[in-house]
Amino acid sequence: MNEVNSITNYVVVGGGTAGWISAAILSKALRNQPHKISVVESPDIPTIGVGEATIPSFVDLLEYLQIPLAEFVAKTGATFKLGIKFVDWKQKGHHYWHQFGEVGNKIDGVDFYQHWLKHHLTTQKYEFTDFSPAVALAKQHKFFISSPEHPTNLSKSTFALHFDASKVAKFLKQYCLSHGVEYVPAKVCDVTKHNDGSIYSLVTDEGKELEGDFFFDCSGQRALLIGKALRVGYTNWQHHLPVNSAIAVQSESRGEIPPYTESVALEHGWRWRIPLQERIGNGYVYCSDFCSDENARQTLLANIERPTSEPRKITFTTGVRQKIWDKNCVAVGLSSGFLEPLESTSIYLVMRTMLKFVQSLPSAQLFQPTIDEFNRLMVNEYEYIRDFIILHYCVSERQDSDFWRMWQHMELPDSLKYKLELFKCQGRLMDNYYDLFSHESWYAVLEGMGVRPRSYDPAINNSDDMLVAQALDKSFAALQVSASKCLDHKDYLDKLIAAFYRATA
């Protein structure tokens, strides 16, 4: 067996959330090995630092990096997120929830959804997410973190975070610098290559050359390395997800802080509302084929109170890089692809790319099968999330604008068509280990959008309907009582932050 020589010199191009998360994960993974990590960040290029929402895996990242939750919340203006409230998506005046965590419990070994479905068809009682601990808390603007040592009926709720992306980038930058990462303030203006086409060095605007063994492209949509230097193509998914623009603006907080993201469907797309400690992040995601920038701007401003910043325009092309890893370069964040922020997956994909890379950590000799498998899995990740986002649109009953009527005849990816056809038979979902979204997430959106299977799983006929009905009544009532006894979300934040500063005084 040949001796394995490790890569030791890693260069991250671009800062922002993607660049500093990449450097943080890499420094943690390589902590017991000789290595050098440099982040090259241009001080002249601003990041897209609008309010960000995440999914529960971000909390797992903090644990992986050994960053205390209270410290992160205190220093980044973060708030907690229990899920997403979708308003006007099925039709105007209707809303539903996509929760974090589990919904109900299996009964007699069969999925809770099947038992709920039969009961609901008979009684028209309860929504599916009425049995979600996260939704019970969110509706009352309460918050609670369960203790493994003291489980309750709220324990199956999980949570994520809202935060200011600019503050998080600065926080993670300090984390990286304290863990030996080198910061290089410079603008990359050229790339030199080896004879085999791989990257040899970066050339800055001051004429300095920065060599590396392996590079991470976190340069955003400019894709300086993966796109411009290595010329890796981009698979455009606009025909599946045609929204391509957003207007973002900040507004004053009104005091109360709901522990959830709100997504409201509008005439040509949808708007987000992300509550932070000191302000609210707002945005309108729309399709420019149906809506002008000025129309979008006026619509967004008409739906918020007391804006505190100038509206910012963001454009994007939905899709994924044909190869996220090519030669000695991995694209991370917007340089690797873009999926609209409807389910808050952008930071997850940054994390997932880097964690998958460190699981595939190459030696100094790069093996093509390792690269190919990484690319296969990462493109699949993008495709699964793409399908879940399309689901929110394609089953809508809205026909009040050309934008929504377009979805009535939109061609769906074969993978999504198959999943919908399977579900519509007996409410079953295909098992897919690599799908980010759990069965409970699919059930929540399918049911929330009014997609109902023709029948249910006959296995539930083995259960006593009366006992199931009694169990549902008891479970629903108990969740409401337990949630009502928890602290208000804002009070929980205040208590957590005060305790952190007392402990560090």
Side-chain angles (χ1 to χ4, degrees):
M1 179 180 294
N2 296 329
E3 182 180 354
V4 176
N5 295 315
S6 299
I7 292 174
T8 58
N9 189 1
Y10 294 90
V11 180
V12 179
V13 177
T17 309
W20 292 111
I21 285 179
S22 298
I25 290 175
L26 199 59
S27 67
K28 178 67 173 179
L30 299 175
R31 62 192 180 280
N32 295 322
Q33 303 177 36
H35 68 274
K36 177 185 177 184
I37 302 170
S38 305
V39 176
V40 186
E41 182 179 34
S42 172
D44 301 325
I45 300 176
T47 59
I48 303 181
V50 298
E52 289 276 7
T54 63
I55 59 176
S57 57
F58 186 82
V59 179
D60 298 334
L61 175 65
L62 295 181
E63 293 181 2
Y64 174 76
L65 297 176
Q66 296 180 310
I67 295 173
L69 179 63
E71 178 186 0
F72 185 87
V73 170
K75 293 184 177 179
T76 64
T79 59
F80 292 105
K81 175 185 175 184
L82 292 164
I84 306 174
K85 182 180 181 181
F86 287 95
V87 179
D88 295 342
W89 278 83
K90 178 186 175 186
Q91 55 196 20
K92 287 185 176 181
H94 176 270
H95 78 268
Y96 72 93
W97 295 85
H98 175 200
Q99 78 298 325
F100 290 150
E102 298 182 24
V103 179
N105 297 292
K106 283 188 175 183
I107 301 175
D108 296 332
V110 181
D111 278 352
F112 174 79
Y113 172 78
Q114 295 290 341
H115 289 281
W116 169 84
L117 178 61
K118 183 180 180 182
H119 183 265
H120 184 77
L121 291 172
T122 305
T123 66
Q124 297 301 304
K125 193 176 182 181
Y126 301 126
E127 299 298 327
F128 173 64
T129 53
D130 283 346
F131 300 91
S132 158
V135 171
L137 289 162
K139 284 182 176 180
Q140 299 184 46
H141 290 196
K142 304 285 190 175
F143 189 72
F144 166 79
I145 298 179
S146 64
S147 167
E149 293 79 22
H150 302 96
T152 73
N153 61 343
L154 298 174
S155 295
K156 292 186 178 179
S157 168
T158 56
F159 64 92
L161 295 169
H162 302 124
F163 51 62
D164 183 314
S166 297
K167 288 184 177 180
V168 170
K170 292 176 183 177
F171 179 92
L172 291 172
K173 177 179 179 180
Q174 291 305 312
Y175 172 92
C176 289
L177 295 180
S178 69
H179 285 75
V181 174
E182 179 184 353
Y183 169 52
V184 182
K187 181 179 179 181
V188 175
C189 61
D190 199 5
V191 176
T192 66
K193 300 180 188 178
H194 294 282
N195 291 334
D196 63 1
S198 61
I199 297 172
Y200 173 71
S201 69
L202 311 176
V203 181
T204 72
D205 55 348
E206 296 179 349
K208 295 181 180 179
E209 191 172 23
L210 185 64
E211 298 177 8
D213 300 322
F214 202 96
F215 297 81
F216 297 92
D217 188 346
C218 302
S219 64
Q221 296 184 77
R222 291 169 296 144
L224 294 176
L225 306 187
I226 199 75
K228 291 184 179 179
L230 297 181
R231 299 189 179 279
V232 175
Y234 191 83
T235 301
N236 188 318
W237 285 339
Q238 291 289 137
H239 57 293
H240 289 313
L241 284 167
V243 296
N244 57 7
S245 304
I247 300 288
V249 67
Q250 301 171 9
S251 63
E252 289 183 16
S253 174
R254 293 178 292 188
E256 193 173 35
I257 306 176
Y260 55 85
T261 301
E262 189 173 50
S263 170
V264 182
L266 299 176
E267 185 178 6
H268 308 297
W270 60 277
R271 68 177 174 89
W272 75 73
R273 184 180 187 277
I274 298 174
L276 306 179
Q277 289 179 33
E278 299 173 350
R279 65 169 178 81
I280 298 170
N282 310 274
Y284 183 9
V285 180
Y286 59 99
C287 179
S288 62
D289 292 344
F290 302 95
C291 179
S292 69
D293 295 343
E294 182 58 25
N295 182 298
R297 180 180 179 277
Q298 293 298 329
T299 299
L300 178 59
L301 292 175
N303 279 282
I304 64 174
E305 298 178 10
R306 300 186 295 274
T308 59
S309 67
E310 282 298 312
R312 293 178 55 195
K313 169 76 182 297
I314 303 165
T315 59
F316 50 84
T317 301
T318 301
V320 65
R321 194 67 54 182
Q322 290 169 1
K323 291 183 289 185
I324 293 176
W325 180 350
D326 185 46
K327 297 182 170 59
N328 61 340
C329 177
V330 166
V332 186
L334 295 178
S335 62
S336 67
F338 184 87
L339 293 168
E340 63 181 87
L342 183 60
E343 284 287 351
S344 312
T345 52
S346 60
I347 289 179
Y348 164 81
L349 285 166
V350 170
M351 294 164 41
R352 185 64 175 154
T353 302
M354 289 306 301
L355 291 170
K356 176 56 65 178
F357 174 80
V358 298
Q359 289 170 3
S360 311
L361 201 63
S363 62
Q365 179 183 358
L366 301 180
F367 294 103
Q368 193 60 43
T370 299
I371 297 174
D372 293 343
E373 179 63 3
F374 173 94
N375 285 325
R376 183 186 72 84
L377 292 175
M378 285 308 305
V379 170
N380 284 348
E381 288 261 8
Y382 272 84
E383 290 174 344
Y384 302 144
I385 296 171
R386 175 202 65 190
D387 287 0
F388 190 62
I389 292 174
I390 293 172
L391 172 67
H392 297 65
Y393 291 100
C394 71
V395 294
S396 174
E397 298 172 7
R398 289 188 58 159
Q399 299 191 41
D400 53 289
S401 68
D402 288 341
F403 173 81
W404 289 105
R405 285 189 289 272
M406 168 186 66
W407 287 98
Q408 308 300 315
H409 52 80
M410 182 76 75
E411 180 65 23
L412 303 181
D414 289 342
S415 50
L416 179 57
K417 284 194 288 187
Y418 174 78
K419 182 165 277 191
L420 284 170
E421 288 167 0
L422 177 65
F423 173 79
K424 288 177 181 178
C425 295
Q426 292 178 299
R428 295 186 173 119
L429 293 170
M430 59 184 289
D431 289 322
N432 188 338
Y433 174 79
Y434 293 105
D435 193 338
L436 166 62
F437 294 100
S438 67
H439 283 190
E440 280 100 339
S441 291
W442 280 88
Y443 286 140
V445 176
L446 286 162
E447 185 56 41
M449 293 297 291
V451 183
R452 182 62 57 74
R454 292 188 289 273
S455 182
Y456 51 77
D457 189 335
I460 66 172
N461 290 327
N462 293 324
S463 300
D464 185 302
D465 290 346
M466 183 175 295
L467 292 177
V468 170
Q470 291 172 355
L472 294 182
D473 289 339
K474 183 178 179 180
S475 175
F476 175 76
L479 277 179
Q480 310 316 303
V481 172
S482 295
S484 69
K485 295 178 180 179
C486 295
L487 284 174
D488 287 342
H489 179 222
K490 187 175 186 307
D491 292 340
Y492 191 100
L493 284 167
D494 291 343
K495 184 177 179 180
L496 182 72
I497 294 168
F500 166 73
Y501 282 118
R502 277 198 308 270
T504 56

